[in-house]
Amino acid sequence: MDYGHSLEFGAFITPAAANPQNPVLLSQAAEASGLDLVTFQDHPYQPSFLDTWTLMSYVAARTDRIRIAPNVLNVPLRPPAVVARAAASLDLLSGGRFDLGLGAGGFWDAIEAMGGGRLTAGQSVTALEEAIDVIRELWDTDERRGVFTDGTYHRVHGAKRGPRPAHGIPIHIGAYKPRMLALTGRKGDGWLPSLGYMQPGDLGRGNTTIDEAAASVGRDPREIRRLLNIGVLSSDPAEFVEHLVRLALDDGIGTFILAGDDPGLLQTFGEDIAPAVREVVARERGERGTDASPVRAATSLAARREGIAYDDVPVGVAAIEPGDFGYGDVRATYMRGGRPGIVLQPDSAEQVADAIAYARRHPALPLAIRSGGHGISGRSTNDGGIVIDLRRLDGIEVLDEGARLVRIGAGARWMQVAAALGEHGWAISSGDYGGVGVGGLATAGGIGFLAREHGLTIDRLRAAEVVLADGSIVRTDASTRPELFWAIRGAGANIGVVTSFEFEASPVGEVGWVQLAFQVDDVAEFLEGYGRVLEASPRDVTLFLLMGGRRPGQPQVAQLYGVVDSPDPDTIIARLQPFAELGPLVQQSVQLATYAQVMANADLGAQHGSGEPYSRSGLVEHVTPEFAQTAARMLDDGAAYFFQLRAVGGAVADVAEDATAYANRSANFSVAALGADPARLDRAWASIAEHSRGMYLSFDSTLRPERIAEAFPPATLARLRAIKAEVDPAGVFRDNFAIEPDRAADAA
């Protein structure tokens, strides 16, 4: 039986303590010889051996590529909850290079007391199966609740999950007896026996038992890799190669692990034997027509969503499905939970075009475009639909040092951008959180800590590469497709997928990074004062205001945070003095920092948001007494748990109202609120809306049809509808503030 597995070759090295560096040097020799795997037996009771976990950790640190595994771990002496965390930790530290071999081992008396006596063969299988379940549960961080298992031999009550491994760690089971072989078929990712302990025909019989057990639970037997510990099968290299070829083609062995502590033997095995075996097996498989394509696990196939052509994914485009190991890290965003049917991760504009073509073949499914996945309003995840995730398009490149012109990929994060530009003494104003993706911010507007001095993020945009709904890849700037360039600056999510941006950065040195907290006795008075002082401040001051609802028995607190763009402490203090007089300061921090340090405030790891945030947004000219009183009432009655005023104005208002799709340039403030009860927030927001004009798309999560007319002035909306009719008449991009195309323009 040939299962079509890609061939791998490894080493089985004795963890001898007499010369502790020798196993490490042998591991390095195995890596240098091109071997795929290095393994060590686990005998923690053997004083002449190094502890296997300690050795594997040390070897991981002293190697770069080769995978590492125990061969096999003695489960009775290794509590499964401890094994799970140790394995995940080593996998993370090694960059995903750990495999887990498990065996029934000896010394089951270590857990006899739990079962009430010495374990029989069947009971030891049960104990190992329970251990596997505990390990996999602790690795499953997609679930939020604790792990509860009430097995006979292994019990876990409320253990916290994690850490999550760097990759899907395979569990290989060292097994010989029928019950253990059946367990391998039901639960294992690989079978790992030693040829020296087997009789003729044992491999075939073992495969049959494993295959039947796999089929009994709906698994494809090809999911289970067949590994084999071997010695030197012949002193004649040609005979050795032929032995391994027959084991691969007749007995399904995919991984050969050579036992031996001779570096010359490991070199011969890696450099001579392995390539020769691969060549012969590939030739014979070709002649036989053997299917050697990777097999998707039955659990993954069962998790697929209806209506998605999973086998039609564009060649070369990385795809993550429900049931895949990495799905838990891509299904949700920063604030929103989701369960998309497939997440595509293109790495070029051409692959983005392929991904859009794939989406066009699924017109009934939601389509989300994701850059960083932080947006409150952006529909960068969904339920059962397609997500095009741009995280691999994260390049940052200086195009013209003298002109401070840079090209930035849509999937880069602003923290990364700030760090890269900071090396040149430059910056681009970019929101207030470094984890935000470039693509979402740079197509919506970009209200950041330098806005009043340097404008919105889109105001620094000079050109862009865009993939349109029909898959065409175009460049746009002020003279090339100027209508498209106008539209992507403020309504880009409707027009296409911007894959890269060309910005003119601003020279920015050290700044004053300001964080002030005030006790507020009169909310309306404080809000009005903040607005008045901010508007009177020089443009080098951009401070945001943040407040939450009242808490019983606690004073109301307002936070001001942002930047004074000056390296001079006296100037910074002078700029802040009018703000300090607004109320009693309960906390303050003013530091000289680079813009890169200010934006280094994010965790760029996986996002695990849950639920559905509900937020409202508006733009206001001034914080009038009437507006301030309305906002105070909203906070007092608990309709909003988050209320923010962002400073705009200044350089933002220098740009003409019709210069970009982001309109309402005369507004000095962007206001946003989040509430737990949508109906309650909507009722409170109705009064806020009376004082606002337009909104900032990134902060409004509602799906009300009328929000489109509220977001864009009539002339702007009419122009956008005409452009939409030209570049996306079928509404491929319809899941983020969807603008209806002008049907008359479309017909024309």
Side-chain angles (χ1 to χ4, degrees):
M1 167 63 74
D2 181 5
Y3 299 95
H5 294 146
S6 60
L7 296 187
E8 297 179 344
F9 297 83
F12 191 0
I13 295 171
T14 307
N19 184 355
Q21 289 299 320
N22 195 53
V24 181
L25 294 172
L26 287 170
S27 300
Q28 292 173 323
E31 180 173 66
S33 300
L35 294 180
D36 306 290
L37 181 68
V38 60
T39 70
F40 309 94
Q41 57 194 290
D42 180 42
H43 297 291
Y45 44 81
Q46 174 58 267
S48 63
F49 283 174
L50 296 167
D51 173 69
T52 299
W53 271 114
T54 306
L55 175 60
M56 291 190 299
S57 300
Y58 194 88
V59 168
R62 299 294 301 273
T63 55
D64 299 311
R65 177 194 56 80
I66 201 164
R67 300 201 317 277
I68 300 151
N71 191 347
V72 289
L73 208 67
N74 193 313
V75 172
L77 300 181
R78 305 279 189 181
V82 176
V83 168
R85 292 205 163 94
S89 299
L90 185 50
D91 197 50
L92 289 165
L93 291 168
S94 66
R97 292 191 288 128
F98 181 74
D99 295 352
L100 180 57
L102 297 179
F107 298 90
W108 281 102
D109 55 332
I111 61 171
E112 280 175 13
M114 297 179 66
R118 181 169 295 278
L119 273 63
T120 66
Q123 289 171 329
S124 65
V125 172
T126 300
L128 181 57
E129 185 167 8
E130 290 177 1
I132 291 171
D133 290 342
V134 168
I135 290 168
R136 288 202 170 121
E137 275 285 299
L138 289 168
W139 286 343
D140 183 8
T141 56
D142 198 28
E143 291 285 343
R144 290 183 172 270
R145 60 181 177 82
V147 174
F148 292 86
T149 62
D150 199 16
T152 303
Y153 306 102
H154 299 293
R155 301 165 189 167
V156 178
H157 293 162
K160 293 184 178 179
R161 298 171 185 270
R164 184 175 181 274
H167 82 305
I169 297 177
I171 295 180
H172 304 312
I173 300 175
Y176 298 94
K177 301 297 184 181
R179 289 190 183 95
M180 200 67 78
L181 291 167
L183 171 61
T184 303
R186 295 194 311 273
K187 296 285 181 76
D189 299 303
W191 177 33
L192 177 51
S194 294
L195 188 61
Y197 291 106
M198 307 183 82
Q199 299 297 320
D202 281 354
L203 281 173
R205 287 186 288 271
N207 279 331
T208 298
T209 302
I210 290 170
D211 294 353
E212 290 175 351
S216 72
V217 294
R219 300 183 72 192
D220 186 330
R222 293 179 300 164
E223 294 179 35
I224 304 158
R225 175 170 282 273
R226 318 301 159 116
L227 305 91
L228 186 64
N229 293 319
I230 60 171
V232 176
L233 301 183
S234 173
S235 59
D236 182 344
E239 289 184 2
F240 195 0
V241 168
E242 181 58 25
H243 278 305
L244 299 188
V245 168
R246 298 275 57 88
L247 285 167
L249 296 176
D250 299 341
D251 294 298
I253 303 303
T255 301
F256 297 97
I257 304 174
L258 180 66
D261 298 333
D262 180 352
L265 179 61
L266 295 179
Q267 182 177 5
T268 299
F269 191 57
E271 295 182 358
D272 300 329
I273 302 298
V277 175
R278 286 190 175 106
E279 180 181 355
V280 176
V281 169
R283 182 174 64 248
E284 291 202 24
R285 281 178 174 171
E287 294 170 354
R288 298 178 179 185
T290 302
D291 182 4
S293 57
V295 177
R296 185 169 291 277
T299 52
S300 295
L301 294 174
R304 285 180 163 180
R305 305 293 290 267
E306 292 185 5
I308 297 180
Y310 289 98
D311 296 331
D312 190 32
V313 171
V315 176
V317 178
I320 301 175
E321 302 178 14
D324 286 353
F325 173 78
Y327 181 74
D329 283 349
V330 299
R331 69 175 184 82
T333 58
Y334 184 78
M335 296 186 70
R336 178 176 281 108
R339 290 195 174 274
I342 190 168
V343 178
L344 304 177
Q345 295 182 332
D347 63 11
S348 66
E350 290 74 18
Q351 286 195 359
V352 170
D354 291 340
I356 293 172
Y358 181 80
R360 289 200 310 270
R361 295 194 289 273
H362 297 78
L365 295 182
L367 171 64
I369 312 299
R370 178 188 301 167
S371 55
H374 181 80
I376 297 170
S377 68
R379 302 290 163 181
S380 50
T381 190
N382 54 48
D383 183 12
I386 299 168
V387 172
I388 299 178
D389 184 338
L390 304 177
R391 70 181 61 197
R392 299 187 179 201
L393 300 172
D394 62 352
I396 303 170
E397 176 188 4
V398 175
L399 299 177
D400 187 328
E401 183 97 21
R404 301 188 303 278
L405 189 66
V406 296
R407 179 186 292 126
I408 303 174
R413 309 292 185 90
W414 285 110
M415 184 169 84
Q416 299 167 318
V417 174
L421 300 189
E423 296 178 3
H424 302 272
W426 306 338
I428 299 170
S429 186
S430 50
D432 67 348
Y433 184 68
V436 172
V438 168
L441 190 84
T443 52
I447 301 175
F449 288 141
L450 301 171
R452 296 184 72 244
E453 184 176 22
H454 296 289
L456 302 172
T457 305
I458 60 173
D459 296 338
R460 310 303 300 177
L461 185 61
R462 300 295 176 259
E465 178 183 72
V466 188
V467 184
L468 300 178
D470 64 0
S472 57
I473 302 170
V474 302
R475 176 183 172 84
T476 180
D477 56 33
S479 58
T480 306
R481 301 196 68 148
E483 281 294 280
L484 189 64
F485 189 57
W486 174 87
I488 64 171
R489 291 175 293 165
N494 263 277
I495 305 306
V497 178
V498 181
T499 53
S500 67
F501 302 82
E502 293 178 17
F503 292 103
E504 180 185 340
S506 302
V508 177
E510 283 192 316
V511 300
W513 168 229
V514 180
Q515 300 174 86
L516 307 176
F518 297 83
Q519 178 177 321
V520 178
D521 298 319
D522 187 324
V523 172
E525 181 181 21
F526 187 87
L527 293 176
E528 185 183 354
Y530 158 78
R532 180 182 64 255
V533 173
L534 194 285
E535 286 193 51
S537 297
R539 290 187 172 193
D540 57 13
V541 177
T542 303
L543 296 183
F544 299 168
L545 178 146
L546 179 62
M547 295 187 74
R550 286 193 180 276
R551 296 183 178 182
Q554 297 184 28
Q556 187 85 332
V557 174
Q559 300 177 53
L560 300 187
Y561 64 104
V563 160
V564 177
D565 185 10
S566 172
D568 177 43
D570 291 337
T571 299
I572 295 168
I573 296 303
R575 299 284 196 266
L576 296 178
Q577 189 58 42
F579 293 97
E581 296 171 0
L582 292 173
L585 278 166
V586 295
Q587 189 173 352
Q588 58 180 305
S589 172
V590 182
Q591 301 172 296
L592 275 177
T594 64
Y595 185 71
Q597 290 170 329
V598 171
M599 294 302 291
N601 57 6
D603 177 0
L604 300 185
Q607 299 173 141
H608 297 103
S610 60
E612 182 81 5
Y614 193 79
S615 61
R616 299 298 301 271
S617 167
L619 296 169
V620 297
E621 299 278 341
H622 310 287
V623 182
T624 63
E626 294 78 16
F627 170 84
Q629 290 165 7
T630 300
R633 284 195 299 271
M634 181 174 65
L635 289 166
D636 283 343
D637 69 15
Y641 61 81
F642 174 100
F643 175 81
Q644 185 187 56
L645 286 171
R646 291 194 174 202
V648 198
V652 176
D654 290 345
V655 179
E657 289 271 327
D658 61 354
T660 64
Y662 178 100
N664 302 305
R665 293 273 183 167
S666 60
N668 284 294
F669 301 94
S670 167
V671 55
L674 281 84
D677 184 334
R680 190 178 179 189
L681 181 60
D682 282 346
R683 287 193 297 270
W685 192 262
S687 298
I688 294 282
E690 294 176 2
H691 304 280
S692 66
R693 184 166 68 95
M695 68 174 69
Y696 184 43
L697 274 60
S698 293
F699 291 159
D700 197 293
S701 68
T702 65
L703 297 176
R704 301 167 299 111
E706 60 269 25
R707 77 195 188 286
I708 305 300
E710 295 171 2
F712 302 105
T716 301
L717 182 56
R719 191 171 172 183
L720 284 171
R721 290 186 65 200
I723 297 169
K724 182 79 169 178
E726 176 189 351
V727 299
D728 186 18
V732 173
F733 306 114
R734 61 185 179 278
D735 289 310
N736 192 356
F737 277 86
I739 295 170
E740 284 292 321
D742 184 336
R743 296 303 176 191
D746 187 21

